Amino acid sequence: MISLKKAAVIGAGSWGTAFSQILSDPFDEVFVWDIDEKHLLELETARENKKYLPGISLAPNVRFLPDLKEVMSESSIVVLAFPSVFVRETLKKIKKHLQKTQKLVNLIKGIELNTLNRVSEIVLQEIGEVGYAVFSGPSHAEEVAQKMPTAIVCASEDEQLALDLQKITSTDYFRVYTSDDVCGVELGGSLKNIMAIAAGISDGLGYGSNTKAAIMTRGINEIARFASHFNASPFTFLGLSGIGDLITTCISTYSRNRRYGELIGKGADPEEALSKMTMVVEGRDTAEAVGRYCIERNIDMPITRAVYNTLFKNLSPQAAVKELMTRDIKPEKI
Ligand SMILES: NC(=O)c1ccc[n+]([C@@H]2O[C@H](COP(=O)([O-])OP(=O)(O)OC[C@H]3O[C@@H](n4cnc5c(N)ncnc54)[C@H](O)[C@@H]3O)[C@@H](O)[C@H]2O)c1
């Protein structure tokens, strides 16, 4: 059983902060670390994350401290809650302080650009065998922090760890389901960001709900087809970490990937649109990695290919839509 004395959270952005509030109930103490020391000091003194979660008062037993060793020391779980691009380098830092009994709990959605590795694979390479679980699903931090009913999946190959985390984190507004499909849950959480960019482009072009429903439905199909090459269960994509997360990302005003796509749909160049985003747009790297992989291996992923060509090969959003809509007609295959 996981000790409830202390938990560590790495990353004090929107999700790390909101998740630390969930942990503040079951755990005596929650220590949070971030790369940005100034940000930590502001959080510790103001007791509010003005930058990422304004208006939410932070629980008194959540501390924001700049010493990673102190934050991780004697914590039973270490939660990863920072942008995916920093996973490998940050795991190297974490490894120096990680004890054998400590479990890693991943909240990050994204895959590594050059290797296509998922977070659990990078953990295995950088840390080795360690208790590992991943939370994923339709869970915008802004809504969780306001205690709006949210359902999410906790996946681990260690069934007991998933059950323990489910029990610890479930509340009357945060409902946690377990899964053993770590690969499927990680891929669903990462690849939905490509579809969110496509949905945003559709919004920017002024298209309506027919178009968005087509992107979401054909999009989850495409994600499941891709994931079948990695032995993920196709049923995972019918659940919260699959279609659930895809829906919220494609429709929510909070979704930065959708907002990024919207700017492009309205005519911004992909680089110019990126410079206007204040928060990380993980779907861009994911689209590049997955787009390249599919083109090289001839895997049929038309929406991903359209997003990839729009972001990286100067294809206009209008031309991308035309290409998608005028492909060979065929039966609907699920
Ligand atoms: N925001 C959400 O609603 C939400 C929901 C589910 C999953 N996620 C995932 O959680 C992860 C974090 O997202 P977020 O929205 O909290 O990000 P964010 O942009 O709100 O904040 C990122 C935070 O990470 C910090 N940071 C950057 N590099 C770091 C490093 N190397 N070590 C420690 N801290 C570092 C930044 O200083 C910043 O405080 C992402 O992978 C995202 O996809 C986010």
Side-chain angles (χ1 to χ4, degrees):
M1 189 61 194
I2 292 170
S3 156
L4 296 177
K5 261 177 76 181
K6 184 180 166 197
V9 177
I10 314 299
S14 1
W15 197 206
T17 306
F19 205 78
S20 71
Q21 296 309 292
I22 293 173
L23 297 178
S24 71
D25 258 343
F27 283 88
D28 295 344
E29 283 184 309
V30 181
F31 280 20
V32 183
W33 183 83
D34 194 282
I35 196 88
D36 183 346
E37 285 195 17
K38 200 166 147 247
H39 178 51
L40 283 173
L41 188 63
E42 276 167 18
L43 286 163
E44 181 69 4
T45 44
R47 308 305 305 161
E48 181 189 344
N49 191 336
K50 291 186 179 156
K51 186 169 176 192
Y52 294 108
L53 274 186
I56 306 290
S57 304
L58 303 175
N61 60 340
V62 180
R63 305 283 316 279
F64 298 87
L65 301 169
D67 181 349
L68 182 60
K69 186 175 176 197
E70 184 185 359
V71 165
M72 284 181 58
S73 165
E74 291 178 34
S75 298
S76 52
I77 62 170
V78 178
V79 177
L80 311 177
F82 49 85
S84 54
V85 66
F86 304 117
V87 168
R88 201 173 282 279
E89 64 180 64
T90 310
L91 285 175
K92 288 184 203 292
K93 287 185 201 163
I94 288 175
K95 188 181 181 182
K96 292 186 193 143
H97 311 294
L98 194 72
Q99 304 295 313
K100 276 206 165 66
T101 53
Q102 291 175 315
K103 315 287 183 197
L104 289 184
V105 178
N106 174 36
L107 307 184
I108 297 166
K109 293 173 179 172
I111 49 179
E112 195 169 50
L113 179 55
N114 292 321
T115 64
L116 215 83
N117 284 160
R118 294 173 281 109
V119 174
S120 59
E121 293 175 305
I122 306 174
V123 164
L124 198 59
Q125 290 155 19
E126 295 298 333
I127 302 216
E129 290 291 342
V130 61
Y132 174 89
V134 53
F135 278 82
S136 193
S139 52
H140 278 299
E142 294 82 352
E143 296 181 13
V144 173
Q146 292 175 66
K147 304 197 172 172
M148 293 187 183
T150 297
I152 196 166
V153 173
C154 174
S156 179
E157 285 172 8
D158 175 346
E159 189 188 1
Q160 193 55 51
L161 178 60
L163 287 168
D164 287 349
L165 288 167
Q166 176 187 46
K167 200 165 170 201
I168 289 170
T169 54
S170 291
T171 67
D172 59 0
Y173 70 92
F174 196 71
R175 183 169 172 78
V176 182
Y177 292 81
T178 57
S179 162
D180 59 4
D181 186 8
V182 170
C183 174
V185 167
E186 288 186 325
L187 285 178
S190 305
L191 269 68
K192 55 98 193 183
N193 285 331
I194 305 173
M195 304 307 154
I197 294 175
I201 291 175
S202 166
D203 287 339
L205 288 169
Y207 297 146
S209 41
N210 293 353
T211 316
K212 196 169 281 185
I215 291 169
M216 292 195 284
T217 320
R218 294 309 301 169
I220 198 70
N221 215 280
E222 213 173 287
I223 293 173
R225 191 160 53 241
F226 177 81
S228 69
H229 289 257
F230 300 88
N231 293 325
S233 163
F235 295 110
T236 299
F237 301 93
L238 298 176
L240 289 162
S241 64
I243 189 70
D245 206 1
L246 183 74
I247 292 171
T248 198
T249 316
C250 288
I251 64 175
S252 171
T253 49
Y254 293 123
S255 167
R256 39 194 97 158
N257 292 283
R258 194 205 59 76
R259 278 207 307 270
Y260 173 62
E262 190 172 7
L263 291 173
I264 296 167
K266 284 186 172 154
D269 169 85
E271 296 299 322
E272 179 196 343
L274 195 63
S275 68
K276 288 191 178 150
M277 303 295 298
T278 50
M279 290 165 162
V280 65
V281 182
E282 284 164 317
R284 191 180 148 93
D285 275 2
T286 309
E288 185 173 3
V290 178
R292 243 180 4 212
Y293 185 91
C294 294
I295 290 166
E296 280 165 16
R297 286 166 184 75
N298 215 11
I299 301 175
D300 185 28
M301 301 214 20
I303 304 174
T304 302
R305 188 186 290 246
V307 171
Y308 173 80
N309 285 333
T310 306
L311 299 189
F312 303 105
K313 300 288 173 194
N314 288 323
L315 184 70
S316 73
Q318 292 82 354
V321 173
K322 186 155 191 194
E323 256 183 42
L324 275 171
M325 294 304 288
T326 56
R327 285 173 308 128
D328 287 348
I329 44 181
K330 57 180 190 177
E332 184 183 35
K333 269 203 205 144
I334 308 289

